[in-house]
Amino acid sequence: MASSQVVENNHQQGKVYFIRHGESTSNERNIFAGVLDVDLTAFGRLQARQAGSDLKKKGVKFDAVYVSHMRRARQTCEIALAESQALKSPDTPIHIDHRISEKSFGIFAGCNLNLLRLACNFNCEVYSLWMDITEMGIWAIFNIFWNFVSKPW
């Protein structure tokens, strides 16, 4: 019982912070990005600096940082960390992790959101299909794509 209490008492609680990337060139152009590797816009860089400033005001210091391999996420991370000086030490690891990524929008990557909504007759539930791709979901996405490419824009 005593050793169990010692382990319990030595348990350190920590915090996890999630920061979404700033505005990307895809956001600015109103297109689905998903796994497309795009940069931040000037506004996105400003948002990243603001995130860093917020971290600094809160006195946050990171023991480790994990970031997606996507450029927009890495850029946000670099800018926010430079602004905040939030690493506990210069040796604090920054891990680029390919498991932290966007969902693939498949055939819709790079498509304009407004045109896609038109192709779906403004009744677009595509997002839920991407979240749970089943055989039926794949056919539904194919049908939406077919409607999209066959419209006379």
Side-chain angles (χ1 to χ4, degrees):
M1 189 87 141
S3 64
S4 158
Q5 287 176 336
V6 170
V7 170
E8 208 171 289
N9 291 338
N10 286 333
H11 178 72
Q12 294 181 348
Q13 288 187 339
K15 293 184 180 180
V16 175
Y17 291 84
F18 293 92
I19 300 175
R20 186 179 187 276
H21 64 78
E23 181 188 68
S24 71
T25 55
S26 291
N27 299 137
E28 181 182 58
R29 293 174 27 222
N30 197 33
I31 63 170
F32 279 117
V35 294
L36 295 179
D37 203 11
V38 295
D39 290 311
L40 293 177
T41 62
F43 183 62
R45 291 187 295 277
L46 177 68
Q47 291 172 315
R49 280 192 295 283
Q50 184 61 53
S53 177
D54 291 345
L55 290 170
K56 189 173 194 170
K57 285 177 190 171
K58 292 179 183 195
V60 173
K61 293 292 183 186
F62 294 114
D63 294 314
V65 175
Y66 293 83
V67 64
S68 167
H69 66 283
M70 306 298 284
R71 277 196 316 256
R72 58 191 178 263
R74 288 193 334 261
Q75 290 168 348
T76 300
C77 179
E78 290 165 6
I79 294 167
L81 288 176
E83 183 72 27
S84 67
Q85 300 297 305
L87 297 180
K88 276 204 174 169
S89 79
D91 298 332
T92 299
I94 299 175
H95 305 278
I96 297 174
D97 194 326
H98 286 68
R99 295 172 298 174
I100 307 170
S101 191
E102 300 282 348
K103 290 216 174 263
S104 174
F105 292 114
I107 57 177
F108 299 115
C111 289
N112 181 285
L113 288 165
N114 293 332
L115 293 179
L116 185 55
R117 286 185 188 106
L118 282 172
C120 297
N121 297 319
F122 294 92
N123 187 13
C124 188
E125 294 185 17
V126 175
Y127 183 76
S128 64
L129 296 174
W130 290 317
M131 299 304 281
D132 182 26
I133 297 293
T134 63
E135 186 174 358
M136 290 303 292
I138 291 169
W139 284 111
I141 289 174
F142 175 77
N143 288 332
I144 292 167
F145 174 73
W146 187 253
N147 287 336
F148 180 73
V149 297
S150 63
K151 293 265 186 193
W153 306 108

